[in-house]
């Protein structure tokens, strides 16, 4: 029996994602901007309906958006029944 060794995959190409995969898209929807400089927002990767709620200072929020190359969604909660955080 003869064994043929397959080439090992290149780790750099294993981590690369084609631009058309949903996971390459990142979304942000601002829910609230407080007078104390905090921004409450929803962050999603791949699907804009599957979100994580986050709160950052304005400067950190701006840097987060640039670093993640986000697609901005319209500001405000997704639905009228959503609870808005109290950032005051």
């Amino acid at each position: 029996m003869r064994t043929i060794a397959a080439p090992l995959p290149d780790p750099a190409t294993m981590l690369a994602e084609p631009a058309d995969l949903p996971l390459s898209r990142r979304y942000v929807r601002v829910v609230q901007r407080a007078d104390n400089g905090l921004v409450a927002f929803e962050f999603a990767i791949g699907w804009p309906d599957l979100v994580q709620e986050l709160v950052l200072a304005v400067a950190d929020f701006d840097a987060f958006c640039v670093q993640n190359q986000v697609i901005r969604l319209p500001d405000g909660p997704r639905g009228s029944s959503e609870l808005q955080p109290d950032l005051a």
Side-chain angles (χ1 to χ4, degrees):
M1 177 178 216
R2 185 174 168 193
T3 304
I4 300 174
L8 293 174
D10 178 5
T13 59
M14 290 173 56
L15 298 176
E17 282 184 19
D20 61 341
L21 283 179
L23 295 179
S24 66
R25 296 186 202 116
R26 294 181 164 90
Y27 302 91
V28 161
R29 178 189 317 272
V30 173
V31 176
Q32 182 181 2
R33 290 181 183 269
D35 293 337
N36 61 3
L38 294 178
V39 179
F41 64 100
E42 298 172 338
F43 177 63
I45 298 174
W47 297 271
D49 294 332
L50 183 61
V51 301
Q52 175 65 49
E53 296 175 1
L54 302 169
V55 177
L56 291 173
V58 173
D60 296 329
F61 170 75
D62 292 338
F64 178 89
C65 290
V66 169
Q67 177 152 359
N68 285 284
Q69 300 176 348
V70 301
I71 298 167
R72 292 291 301 264
L73 299 174
D75 290 356
R78 284 177 286 143
S80 59
S81 64
E82 299 271 341
L83 296 176
Q84 292 191 9
D86 182 14
L87 301 181

